[in-house]
């Protein structure tokens, strides 16, 4: 038997396939798993960890995060490692840092992406998707990175924030950028059809681009057109994209937003099952919270965003236009109206407000009282003051729906985390998603079995991304591992205190190296940029 660099003994092994746990040992040689089973007592290694009957499983794969720009400021991924995440999927909800074209459209993307820039100041010293990955490869990464390109980014590159259908030559240019991005290592395309400029697109545009992605073995992930009143129709549209372009699709952070829509997840999940029974490859991801989080600008009607952030701020500065906006927000439900879905201003809490931090943690009703204005008028003041670099929390889902979606066999776990600038408030999902699943929904509420929950975090997302060496504990697989205590693991982050780390995650190993030891981040950075291998002819 060959020598090992690391041995973990006396573990309860959950291998990531959904199979029952078993007691055993694991040996690591270099960056790979070399042994899973029982090792003779005589076998030693430079590093031996006694698991003491704790759970040993594959590293968690968080398939949906917004860590893109954070990596440029802080590539350590500390908040991910502390909760056992060893691989992140970036480029979500239609927004990715590449591909880029003109300086003018780079400026549009830079301005709009303010709410996910996490305090970074990108140099934008890349243009193609491959060059973006090259930038990431030069960073000392704490986790592995699997990157998607965003449909919104393609649109901004080719046609800015124009609220119209692309002309043939514009669509052809987007298709060329999609093909090039896939050839350079993208795992697929994501869309944010509630956000500008994705909100201005039609289904046939998405299908045309997905045909390019499908021909290169990619995945389509969608923040759908509606997660509220038209959530059923939006799932049907996503299924239609799968059918027309012959592409595997994933519904992002699935929910039914707004009290009057609670319970619709039973119908949407039925549509997913019916699609799969017809041979369509449709899956879902979800975070385990009843509040969403995104930019405060999501309360604004779609037309306000046309032309980009500067035009939006200009409209908010005009009192006549502002009165029109306020009236539409209070009355309109034909678009994804976040105010109405949250039941009013009390349901929206400011998270990050870098230029007016005194309002962080306050709901819009409280902000309005402080400003001496209508809450929505005050919110527009915050948007203008922060120049788009703000985030908010939207309380609009039911706990019963969260459990229903989580139980479904086609649903995997993903955080949808939006990291903040240093010291800024975030949604607690940024710090606590995976331990919350294991502590609350496995141990305390028994919504899932331990093995099923871990499959939803490991083997399932690995298979979805086509990561043939990750997500399962087998000899020859990458040594991305988590050792945790099932009796104590729990999220520490809350809405009131979102930066508290979790507990019970004792060891995290990335590509064979200790990233977390005895609950402490070691500073070792062994993450890699993962490039999807295109299978186009």
């Amino acid at each position: 038997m060959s020598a090992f660099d690391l041995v973990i003994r006396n573990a309860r092994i959950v291998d990531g396939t959904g199979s029952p746990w078993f007691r055993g040992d694991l040996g690591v040689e270099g960056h790979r798993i070399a042994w899973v089973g029982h090792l003779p007592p005589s076998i030693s290694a430079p590093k031996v960890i006694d698991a003491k009957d704790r759970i040993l499983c594959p590293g968690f794969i968080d398939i949906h995060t917004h860590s893109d720009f954070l990596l440029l400021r802080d590539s350590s991924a500390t908040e991910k490692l502390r909760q056992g995440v060893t691989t992140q999927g970036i480029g979500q909800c239609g927004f990715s840092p590449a591909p880029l074209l003109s300086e003018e459209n780079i400026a549009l993307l830079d301005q709009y992406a303010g709410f996910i820039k996490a305090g970074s100041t990108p140099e934008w010293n890349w243009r193609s998707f491959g060059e973006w990955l090259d930038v990431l490869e030069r960073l000392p990464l704490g986790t592995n990175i699997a990157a998607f390109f965003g449909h919104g980014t393609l649109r901004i590159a080719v046609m800015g924030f124009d609220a119209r259908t692309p002309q043939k030559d514009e669509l052809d240019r987007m298709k060329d950028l999609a093909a090039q991005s896939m050839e350079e290592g993208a795992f697929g395309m994501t869309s944010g059809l509630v956000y500008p400029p994705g909100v201005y697109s039609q289904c046939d545009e998405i299908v045309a681009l997905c045909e390019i992605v499908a021909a290169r073995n990619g995945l389509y992930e969608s923040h759908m057109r509606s997660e509220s009143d038209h959530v059923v129709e939006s799932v049907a549209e996503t299924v239609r994209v799968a059918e027309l372009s012959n592409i595997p699709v994933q519904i992002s952070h699935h929910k039914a937003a707004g009290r009057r829509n609670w319970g619709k997840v039973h119908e949407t999940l039925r549509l997913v099952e019916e699609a799969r029974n017809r041979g369509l490859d449709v899956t879902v991801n979800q975070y385990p919270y009843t509040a969403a989080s995104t930019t405060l600008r999501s309360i604004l009607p779609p037309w306000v965003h046309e032309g980009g952030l500067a035009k939006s701020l200009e409209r908010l500065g005009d009192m006549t236009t502002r009165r029109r906006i306020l009236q539409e927000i209070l009355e309109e439900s034909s678009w994804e109206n976040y105010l109405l879905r949250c039941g009013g201003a009390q349901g929206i809490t400011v998270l990050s407000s870098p230029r007016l931090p005194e309002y962080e943690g306050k709901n819009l009703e409280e902000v309005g009282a402080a400003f001496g204005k209508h809450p929505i008028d005050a919110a527009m003041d915050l948007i203008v003051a922060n120049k788009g670099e703000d985030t908010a929390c939207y309380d609009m889902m039911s706990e019963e729906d969260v459990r229903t979606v989580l139980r479904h066999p086609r649903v995997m776990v993903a955080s949808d985390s939006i990291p903040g600038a240093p010291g800024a408030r975030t949604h607690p999902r940024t710090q606590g998603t995976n331990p919350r699943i294991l502590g609350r929904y496995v141990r305390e509420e028994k919504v899932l079995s331990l093995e099923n929950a871990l499959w939803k975090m490991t083997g399932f997302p690995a298979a979805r991304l086509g990561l043939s060496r990750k997500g399962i504990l087998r000899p020859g697989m990458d040594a991305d591992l988590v050792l945790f205590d099932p009796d104590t693991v729990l999220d520490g982050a809350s809405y009131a205190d979102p930066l508290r780390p979790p507990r019970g995650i004792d060891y995290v190993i990335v590509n064979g190296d200790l990233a977390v030891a005895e609950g402490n981040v070691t500073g070792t950075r062994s993450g890699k940029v993962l490039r999807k291998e295109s299978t186009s002819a």
Side-chain angles (χ1 to χ4, degrees):
M1 190 176 296
S2 61
F4 299 111
D5 299 304
L6 169 67
V7 167
I8 302 174
R9 292 189 177 276
N10 306 315
R12 276 185 283 168
I13 296 175
V14 180
D15 67 7
T17 67
S19 299
W21 63 263
F22 59 94
R23 288 190 171 89
D25 312 315
L26 182 143
V28 173
E29 189 174 338
H31 301 309
R32 298 277 169 81
I33 298 170
W35 183 270
V36 179
H38 292 281
L39 287 168
S42 59
I43 297 296
S44 187
K47 179 66 177 177
V48 178
I49 298 171
D50 184 355
K52 299 177 181 177
D53 213 34
R54 288 170 290 185
I55 300 297
L56 178 64
C57 66
F60 305 148
I61 299 171
D62 191 346
I63 197 171
H64 187 113
T65 82
H66 292 280
S67 299
D68 312 56
F69 294 102
L70 173 65
L71 296 171
L72 299 177
R73 176 176 64 78
D74 179 5
S75 60
S76 66
T78 296
E79 61 196 15
K80 291 299 181 185
L81 293 171
R82 282 177 174 160
Q83 56 180 302
V85 172
T86 57
T87 300
Q88 301 184 65
I90 62 172
Q92 299 297 330
C93 296
F95 290 99
S96 59
L100 306 171
L101 289 177
S102 71
E103 294 297 326
E104 176 186 358
N105 289 341
I106 291 171
L108 288 174
L109 179 59
D110 181 74
Q111 292 166 4
Y112 192 82
F115 75 106
I116 57 173
K117 281 164 62 176
S120 69
T121 53
E123 296 180 19
W124 300 105
N125 56 341
W126 61 87
R127 291 296 179 268
S128 72
F129 195 83
E131 289 171 347
W132 162 238
L133 296 185
D134 290 342
V135 168
L136 295 183
E137 282 186 330
R138 291 193 288 269
L139 301 174
L141 297 170
T143 67
N144 303 304
I145 298 295
F148 291 76
F149 69 88
H151 163 249
T153 297
L154 293 189
R155 251 191 169 250
I156 292 169
V158 173
M159 52 189 296
F161 281 87
D162 290 357
R164 59 177 175 83
T165 299
Q167 298 174 4
K168 182 182 183 302
D169 64 318
E170 291 171 327
L171 182 58
D172 287 345
R173 187 69 183 109
M174 284 193 275
K175 290 163 71 173
D176 289 343
L177 289 173
Q180 180 182 350
S181 297
M182 290 301 301
E183 297 293 344
E184 291 172 345
F187 279 78
M189 182 178 81
T190 71
S191 66
L193 301 182
V194 69
Y195 299 116
V199 70
Y200 308 133
S201 67
Q202 301 300 316
C203 185
D204 57 356
E205 176 184 327
I206 303 299
V207 169
L209 293 169
C210 280
E211 288 174 343
I212 301 298
V213 176
R216 291 156 177 83
N217 198 34
L219 172 67
Y220 171 55
E221 285 201 53
S222 183
H223 181 153
M224 301 182 302
R225 252 174 243 287
S226 174
E227 296 179 315
S228 58
D229 291 359
H230 302 288
V231 64
V232 176
E233 296 91 331
S234 292
V235 169
E237 180 187 23
T238 308
V239 170
R240 179 173 170 79
V241 170
E243 191 162 25
L244 293 177
S245 59
N246 193 30
I247 194 170
V249 304
Q250 178 140 284
I251 296 166
S252 294
H253 42 64
H254 191 38
K255 63 179 74 72
R259 181 175 292 275
R260 68 186 182 188
N261 299 304
W262 292 355
K264 285 185 178 180
V265 295
H266 293 281
E267 187 173 356
T268 59
L269 293 172
R270 179 180 57 79
L271 290 178
V272 170
E273 281 302 303
E274 289 176 353
R276 292 195 65 85
N277 290 339
R278 298 200 311 273
L280 303 176
D281 190 356
V282 184
T283 55
V284 181
N285 68 52
Q286 178 208 28
Y287 53 81
Y289 297 87
T290 57
S293 179
T294 186
T295 172
L296 189 54
R297 281 171 286 152
S298 290
I299 68 171
L300 303 174
W303 62 266
V304 179
H305 303 285
E306 186 176 353
L309 178 63
K311 289 289 185 182
S312 298
L313 298 181
E314 183 180 313
R315 293 181 181 109
L316 295 181
D318 179 79
M319 290 303 105
T320 300
T321 306
R322 181 181 281 219
R323 284 193 293 272
R324 175 190 168 191
I325 294 169
L326 191 151
Q327 200 64 29
E328 284 193 20
I329 291 172
L330 293 175
E331 296 178 357
E332 279 288 327
S333 60
S334 59
W335 47 283
E336 195 77 335
N337 189 322
Y338 275 43
L339 179 85
L340 298 185
R341 302 303 163 256
C342 293
Q346 282 187 323
I348 302 174
T349 301
V350 177
L351 292 178
S352 177
S353 175
R355 290 171 178 82
L356 293 170
E358 62 268 31
Y359 298 106
E360 293 181 352
K362 298 183 184 300
N363 66 49
L364 289 189
E365 190 167 282
E366 294 168 328
V367 174
F371 273 73
K373 292 184 173 183
H374 190 284
I376 303 307
D377 206 18
M380 288 190 273
D381 284 346
L382 284 183
I383 292 169
V384 171
N386 287 301
K387 301 186 188 311
E389 295 184 10
D390 51 61
T391 56
C393 206
Y394 299 88
D395 190 7
M396 53 188 179
M397 289 94 84
S398 84
E399 180 63 31
E400 185 53 40
D401 278 0
V402 169
R403 295 189 187 99
T404 297
V405 175
L406 184 58
R407 288 189 191 100
H408 197 276
R410 313 306 172 204
V411 177
M412 67 189 71
V413 174
S415 71
D416 189 23
S417 56
I418 301 176
R425 298 173 69 90
T426 63
H427 190 296
R429 67 193 183 191
T430 301
Q431 301 279 350
T433 292
N434 300 88
R436 182 177 178 84
I437 293 286
L438 297 171
R440 177 170 183 171
Y441 292 102
V442 173
R443 184 181 65 244
E444 295 176 358
E445 299 187 6
K446 297 178 173 52
V447 174
L448 298 173
S449 70
L450 177 65
E451 292 87 349
N452 192 18
L454 290 173
W455 169 72
K456 287 173 177 283
M457 301 179 193
T458 59
F460 189 5
R464 202 66 179 126
L465 290 170
L467 299 177
S468 60
R469 290 189 180 275
K470 296 190 182 295
I472 296 176
L473 301 188
R474 293 282 189 276
M477 303 293 278
D478 292 340
D480 294 342
L481 310 168
V482 178
L483 182 67
F484 69 92
D485 186 341
D487 297 325
T488 64
V489 64
L490 193 64
D491 54 318
S494 65
Y495 295 104
D497 189 2
L499 301 181
R500 286 178 59 196
R503 65 174 186 259
I505 306 287
D506 298 319
Y507 287 86
V508 179
I509 296 163
V510 180
N511 293 311
D513 294 326
L514 281 172
V516 174
E518 298 180 353
N520 298 310
V521 176
T522 66
T524 299
R525 302 188 187 186
S526 301
K528 298 178 180 179
V529 173
L530 310 174
R531 296 186 189 237
K532 179 76 171 179
E533 294 184 6
S534 173
T535 59
S536 60

